[in-house]
Structures are given as C-alpha cells and as structure tokens.
Amino acid sequence: MAMQTEAGSILDREELLQVADAVAREKGIERDTVLDAMEQAIQHAGKRKYGQEHDIRATIDRSTGSVKLMRVIHVVDEVEDPVTQLTVAEARLRKPDAEVGDELIEPLPPIEFGRIAAQTAKQVIVQKVREAERERQFEEYKDRAGEIVNGLVKRVEYGNVMVDLGRAEGLLRRDELLPRESFHQGDRVRAYIYDVRREPRGPQIFLSRTHPQFMAKLFAQEVPEIYDHIIEIKSVARDPGSRAKIAVLSHDSSIDPVGACVGMRGSRVQAVVAELQGEKIDIIQWSPDPATFVVNALAPAEVTKVVIDEETNRIEVVVPDDQLSLAIGRRGQNVRLASQLTGWDIDILTEAEESDRRTEEFRARSQEFIEALDVDDVIAHLLVAEGFSSVEEVAFLPRSELASIEGFDEEVAEELRERARLFLDERNRDLDERRRSLGVADDLAALSGLTPALLVALGEKGIKTLDDLADLASDELLEIVPEGALTVEEADAIIMAARAHWFGEEEGASAGDGDSEGEGEGEGERAEGAEVAEAAPTNDAAEAGEDAGERA
C-alpha cells in the first residue's frame, strides 16, 4: 500500500510538470510563470485551511515536481504579530543560532483539495496565466505599431471586427473599416497597427484600414524602391474608399518616382487599389517649392496663378473658369485632399473672380488715397499701381524713393508725404479721443506695440487696463483686434509686456522687506551713535572742570 502511495505521488509530480509544460506551450508563456501560478494557488489553499493570518508559502521543485508547503515565522526584536513573529529568545529554543531578521521554516503536511479548494486553485491559476499571456502579447506588439499585419476574422461584434493575429487578438473598429466593407468569420484581413495600449482587460491592439499610413505601407510592400528608401513617401491624404493622393520623392535622379509607383501597365498601383476596394489614387511628385507642390496636388486641374501668404499659411490658386469644378472636385474632395497633402489652406478662384476682386481692391485703395491725400484719380492710381496699400507707406517712405516714381518729382513727393502725415496725425487724434471716451487707461496706451486703432478696438471690448489685457491669452487677443493686425508672436509679446508690472510689484515687495530690515539696522546704528555723542560732551565738561580747578 505504501509503495502504491509513493508511486502515485511520483506520478502526480510528473503530471504536474507535464501540465505546466503543456500550458506554457499553448499560451506562449514561460514554464516558470505557470509553476509560479500553481505555487500561488497552493499557497492560497493553504491559507484557507490554516488561517489567513499565517505566512504560508508553497514551492514546487522545477526538476522533480515535488510540492512543499511551509509556514514562515520571522525573528524580531519586538513582537507586533504573535502569529508570524517570535523574539530572539523564543526562536533560539527552536534554532540555537537564530538572529534578528532570520526566518524559521515550519513544514506543513500536504493538503487535500476538496471541490471548493480545487475550484479556487483553478481560478487562481487561470487568472495568473491569463495575466502572463496578456503581458506577453503587449511586450510582443508594443513596438510593432506602424506595421501591417495579416489575420483571420475571429468574430464580429456590433460592426467591430476581432482579428486573430496568431498569438494575439486585434480590434478593427467599425469606423476604421472602409465604407461598404464587411467581413465574416474566417475571412482573411490585412490591416495597419496604429496603436497598442494596456487596457484593464488586457492589451488592446488597434487596427485600421482607413489610416493614411496603411496605404503608404501597402506601397512599400509593392514598390521595392520605397522599401529600399530610394523613393520616399513624403505625405498621404485619403478619403477612405473613394480617393487618395500620395506625394513621392526620388533620391535617385535616374528614377522617376511616379512611374516606379505606378509600375508596368499600372501593376503596382492596381495591387494597392484592389486591397483598398477600388479607391482611386493620385500619385504626385513632391516638390520643396510650395507653389509647385500645390499645383501638382491639384492635378488634374490646370492652374494659371498662385499667390502665397506665408504668415497665414494660405495659398490662393487661380484656375480657368472651365477648370473650377475639376479643381474643387466632387463635394470639395480634390481641394480638400490637396490641402491635407500639402499642409496649406487653399483658396480657389476663377480668372474672372480674381480679375473682379483685383479691380475692386484697386478701386478701394485709390479711393482711400483720394480721400486721405486730397489728390486726383491719376496720382491715386499711380500710387496703387506702384504697390502702395496704405497711407502709412506713403508717409514714411523716403522722399527720394517716392520721387523716383514716374510722373513724380521732389516737390510732389514731399507734398504727398506731408499730406499723409497730417492725415495720420488727425486720425490718431480722433482715435485717441475715442480711446479716452471709452475709458482706456493711459498706461495701457503707453504699451509698446498697440496702435491707436488697436486701443479703440480693445476699449470697445471692455479691455481698459493693463490687468484686463494681462488676463488675456494670445488667441483671445487675436480675436478682439482686426484680422491680420497682429501675429501670434506680436500678441504674445504685448501680453507679456502687460504682465511685466505684476513681476515688478513682486520684486518691489521683496526689495521693500529688505529695505525695512536695513532701515531697522540703520536706526539702531544711529541710536548707538547718538548715545556716544551724548556721552562725549559729558567727558568734555568734566575735563573743563578739572582745568578750571587747576587755574584756581
């Protein structure tokens, strides 16, 4: 009977190790991780039997599979928990050389797992194995964001597709699918990993088929020159399932980047189009010149003129009247994709609209010069034609440059400058009166960078003191002033200048504390000096009395 028990024990030990090996292989985790989970399960069962207050530990021999259950008692100077602690004197009754910090091991008999204990142990092992599996998945995929993966559809839940990636599971959400695209269980799917995150229920691998980089990675798989970095994909813009634009650049002058991406008879680009469910793709050559890049991006529309405004990051594009609908595209698709591709805000005008606008601007500027400078149409038209857009430019332009305009001489140039200055002075006086009537403080008006017109605009919005201005953020200030009156950098500088008095008051307060201490010390020194001065006359009087006594 004893031999049968021993043989059964050996068999149990071997089965324990075999189970650990099988679970480790199936879940793709380390064998020791499974054995650690088993140890914790046995330890948990031991505490349920002997009491949660005891320090129960379980170990499984990695080579033989033998299980040891023990109770650990700690040797301390002062006992706080009599169940798990002993004094040195008590410990030496069991172990003569026991010292503070030692642990006494008390073997416990093996426990018999009942139904409830076995179920609890199973839950502990399953939980620990699942946590280890999730950690392994996260460590494996956390650095794979930005890659394309292939998988099989495992299940579809409310339009979201769960994809079996082999050793992990990815989530392809409904909004990351192409329009009118549907998958069923067992379908093969290719997607782009755009994020890997730790979630409470385990790592989540987020997949996408609409991400712009999905198309870029597909081209890298189909075009060897992109994979070898001879051709570089500079930017991608997509309207998923409908149309896309991709800008490419060749680092080898002998290779045409557009032709290499298209392939022989369109074989390369057609492979990408097929994967994207027929999405039309425009392949565009990238250019460092913004105007050229925008013209290329608006293809197939023809462009006749481009005006760049770098301060506002806008580009104005003029196209022939018959090209307007082609340049804009269906529901603005072409110009929207071109804007995303280039990073510029694009305004499209026809030649007729641009001509009408220029005519209106010319008329408005001419009228401004006629009213401000009291000149006739000829001189006003000359100033506008020479590029003058404001009275300030006329007032502060050197006389020699103004006189160099055809039809002007020194006398006319000086007269125009004088009239422009008189107009500006009168306008500034009116604005200053308006500013005072609004109650805008003089110290705010003295702030550098604020013109009279800006001060009136601030006053109309209730910004009347330095503190009012200092409380604003730069974007709030830009919303108050006329459009284009200030840049972001200028707004930041003005607000910091308005806040300068705050810091000055703090420094003054700290300096005042120091001065108070200094004054106290000075008063003490002056008091001591006064006492010495009072003592000095007394000594002089005594000496004078002695001299008088000698003479007597």
Side-chain angles (χ1 to χ4, degrees), residues 498-532:
R499 294 173 179 173
H501 71 286
W502 291 351
F503 307 115
E505 290 173 0
E506 292 176 1
E507 292 176 0
S510 60
D513 294 340
D515 292 344
S516 299
E517 294 175 2
E519 288 174 3
E521 294 175 359
E523 288 175 0
E525 293 175 357
R526 286 194 293 273
E528 292 176 2
E531 292 175 1
V532 172

Side-chain angles (χ1 to χ4, degrees), residues 438-451:
L438 290 171
V440 179
D442 291 339
D443 55 356
L444 179 59
L447 205 62
S448 176
L450 290 177
T451 63

Side-chain angles (χ1 to χ4, degrees), residues 220-237:
Q221 290 183 351
E222 296 293 336
V223 183
E225 290 86 351
I226 295 177
Y227 183 81
D228 295 335
H229 305 291
I230 298 173
I231 294 176
E232 179 184 356
I233 297 176
K234 299 294 289 186
S235 58
V236 180

